[in-house]
Amino acid sequence: MKFEAVLFDCDGVLVDSEPITNGVLRDMLEESGWALTPAECMRVFVGKAVRDERALIEARTGQPLTEDWMAEFYDRRNRELQARLQAIAGAHEAVAAAHAQVAERIACASGADRFKVEMQLAQVGLMDYFAGRIFSGHEMPRSKPAPDVYLAAAAHLGAAGARCLVIEDTTTGVTAGIAAGATVWAYCPLAEHGAALQQAGASRLFAHMADLPGLLAAA
């Protein structure tokens, strides 16, 4: 296999968290004075850290993005995730296949905060594959679309960025993987998102996570 390590994003790749998290965010933004449809909220915020959009949020709500507001967001988000989160269909098989193909050199590199990533992986039964190999953009000098979180994961695994395969689902994440020098394959269940993912640099699109084991075997 030409890849020495496989680096997975978390939200939208391993766990179906984006509609839940963005639903909470949409509700709280509306309560603060910025009304968005669910689709608009996904388009603006998917793949991004809420804190990184501080200027936009403050401009649209006319209110400061305070630590108390962020704490309430995290609390409401976590409660909803704990109640409703499920793994992406086929994610367990995909992770197991990657784990076997690259001699266990896999990692989860997310733009989300560590608590959320670890909570989600534990909740859906994937933590055993990633324990000790979880990287959060919140702990890096720059989060996605900068490559820092992927470079940190690759370095930890002892693999050059150019020898890593990144599995992503957003243009922000694809951009980060490409900037790290990696090959990026994009999980793309909605065909209308494919062109943007390819334009960002994804070299392969696949619509079902259950397809990944076969793609890895062929590589």
Side-chain angles (χ1 to χ4, degrees), residues 78-162:
N78 293 344
R79 283 189 278 115
E80 286 297 308
L81 289 169
Q82 288 165 347
R84 300 164 51 199
L85 184 68
Q86 295 185 345
I88 293 289
H92 289 83
E93 294 80 4
V95 169
H99 191 259
Q101 286 277 0
V102 293
E104 303 182 6
R105 295 170 80 184
I106 67 172
C108 182
S110 172
D113 57 280
R114 176 173 294 276
F115 179 86
K116 180 187 182 209
V117 178
E118 293 183 346
M119 175 187 74
Q120 292 182 140
L121 294 177
Q123 189 164 332
V124 301
L126 287 170
M127 179 58 87
D128 286 349
Y129 287 105
F130 294 107
R133 297 187 301 278
I134 295 170
F135 299 84
S136 165
H138 284 221
E139 298 168 3
M140 303 294 149
R142 302 169 299 171
S143 193
K144 300 175 186 179
D148 302 31
V149 71
Y150 281 121
L151 291 172
H156 179 82
L157 297 173

Side-chain angles (χ1 to χ4, degrees), residues 7-51:
L7 314 178
F8 289 88
D9 178 40
C10 184
D11 296 290
V13 168
L14 300 176
V15 296
D16 193 14
S17 56
E18 297 287 17
I20 300 171
T21 296
N22 277 272
V24 172
L25 178 60
R26 195 215 68 82
D27 289 349
M28 288 189 62
L29 290 172
E30 184 169 67
E31 292 162 12
S32 299
W34 182 14
L36 291 160
T37 68
E40 288 170 338
C41 192
M42 289 284 282
R43 186 168 61 250
V44 173
F45 290 101
V46 72
K48 302 174 184 177
V50 174
R51 290 181 186 276

